Amino acid sequence: MTSTQANEPAPSPPRAGIDWQLAPVDFIWFGKSGAEICAQMKDPKRNGGRDAAGLVEHLRHDASLSGFIPRGWAPGAGRATPPRTFEDHVKDMAVWGAAGQPCPN
């Protein structure tokens, strides 16, 4: 789906302005603890080959192309949004990277 149209009416699938593919199954977060997700996020073998700066760049690049990541903050009718803004998320990822990507125990 490469449309920039809104993903409505609910529960229509999200649309983006870029070609995309689903992440590999081993990237899934369902059923994982915060510590497991954190370890996966900072492991280049399981995050698309990115270091901390690369993760932030991935967020910004996807947003510049009207990709799927920022769509979480505008999910369409009937869907809940994250508690903070997309830009807050990008800043948090940068701070996490600058701190050495610490993970909870």
Side-chain angles (χ1 to χ4, degrees), residues 41 47 50-64 69-70 86 90:
M41 289 289 298
N47 75 7
R50 297 174 178 94
D51 61 9
L55 291 171
V56 172
E57 175 56 28
H58 175 58
L59 295 173
R60 292 190 191 282
H61 182 257
D62 190 75
S64 75
I69 297 169
F86 172 74
V90 174

Side-chain angles (χ1 to χ4, degrees), residues 5-68:
Q5 300 170 358
N7 56 329
E8 295 182 9
S12 294
R15 296 182 176 108
I18 58 174
D19 291 332
W20 67 277
Q21 64 185 20
L22 290 173
V25 173
D26 53 328
F27 283 21
I28 196 166
W29 292 354
F30 293 112
K32 292 185 179 181
S33 69
E36 290 170 316
I37 293 170
C38 182
Q40 180 178 334
M41 289 289 298
K42 69 183 209 175
D43 181 357
K45 292 178 184 171
R46 298 184 291 157
N47 75 7
R50 297 174 178 94
D51 61 9
L55 291 171
V56 172
E57 175 56 28
H58 175 58
L59 295 173
R60 292 190 191 282
H61 182 257
D62 190 75
S64 75
L65 299 175
S66 298
F68 279 104

